[in-house]
Amino acid sequence: MITEEILQIAMEQSAEDINCSWEDFMKSQNVIVPFRLGKNARKYLKEPIIANFVSYGNNVVASAAEEVMETVREYVNKFEFYHLFETPNMHWLSDRLAGKGSDICFMAEYFLPDLHNLRPLSCNYETRILTKRDFQELYLPEWSNALCEKRKHLDLLGVGAYEDEKLIGLAGCSADCEKMWQIGVDVLPEYRKCGIASALTSRLAHEILERGKVPFYCAAWSNIRSVRNAVKSGFIPAWVEMTVKPAAIINELNEETNGN
């Protein structure tokens, strides 16, 4: 695979996620479509989704439910597409969504491998390839980014770092799409800043590519540590997303986070 092919695969997946054509992401003008979650959408996407804004850097493609379509259309036409993901403009959208019982819920940046720079990196610890049968005892809080207990059946492959027989770092991938596997990584706090995360991430990315799949990586803009790991491991920014959900769902998520 070459970088252009990887990018097209990602765009085709995004198109399946929001009900558009992958070519829409290449247009210079913005595109607005009715929201529908495709049958081959990323497996962790859950309805209800009121709207989703996606940009690969050329424009924004927005998909929206009927009740917010005009609000989304006005927002997309009001600001430059790359300012749609920024405050204070987002407050304009949030204020109008509130009257419809919705609000901005998720924002994230997604990374794809740059095949010119992706190479397996090393660290000062032993690394091992892990498969599904190795994960059974690893669904613990310290490995919650690398593995997902709610979707165990999608966790297929990983790379672990060991000091003697102690697992000190783990990168895992989830088969979230037919052609794309998402990488998550955890390193025990006392072993961070030793190059372990990038060694695990870069090696796992190679293992995924060798299996004919595209690795991808997601991070919040504010998670500088995670973004640095992505870049060091040979990934580059590819697309951004902003998702609108019902306010009731957002409140539930906040309650879960607060332990209430």
Side-chain angles (χ1 to χ4, degrees), residues 99-118:
K100 301 179 184 296
S102 302
D103 207 345
I104 298 164
C105 185
F106 299 124
M107 296 179 66
E109 184 173 19
Y110 291 83
F111 299 77
L112 291 171
D114 178 358
L115 297 187
H116 299 293
N117 293 316
L118 181 69

Side-chain angles (χ1 to χ4, degrees), residues 48-66:
I49 296 174
I50 305 302
N52 210 344
F53 300 79
V54 180
S55 178
Y56 278 81
N58 303 302
N59 66 350
V60 68
V61 180
S63 64
E66 183 178 356

Side-chain angles (χ1 to χ4, degrees), residues 191-208:
Y191 292 92
R192 291 172 185 166
K193 297 185 178 181
C194 298
I196 296 172
S198 57
L200 298 178
T201 303
S202 60
R203 185 174 178 189
L204 183 54
H206 271 273
E207 295 291 332
I208 294 171

Side-chain angles (χ1 to χ4, degrees), residues 57 59 69 75 101 112 130 136 170 174 197 202 205-206 220 229 245:
N59 66 350
M69 178 64 78
Y75 183 59
L112 291 171
L130 305 176
Q136 300 306 311
L170 176 64
S174 177
S202 60
H206 271 273
N229 177 58
K245 280 184 168 285

Side-chain angles (χ1 to χ4, degrees), residues 130 135 146-147 157-161 169-173 183-186 197 200-201 204:
L130 305 176
F135 298 151
L147 302 174
L157 187 67
V159 180
L170 176 64
C173 66
I183 294 177
V185 62
D186 292 290
L200 298 178
T201 303
L204 183 54

Side-chain angles (χ1 to χ4, degrees), residues 60-91:
V60 68
V61 180
S63 64
E66 183 178 356
E67 64 264 29
V68 299
M69 178 64 78
E70 290 309 311
T71 300
V72 167
R73 190 183 307 278
E74 186 178 358
Y75 183 59
V76 167
N77 291 330
K78 188 175 181 65
F79 304 106
E80 289 288 342
F81 76 89
Y82 47 86
H83 290 313
L84 297 174
F85 302 86
E86 299 174 348
T87 54
N89 299 340
M90 286 166 52
H91 294 307

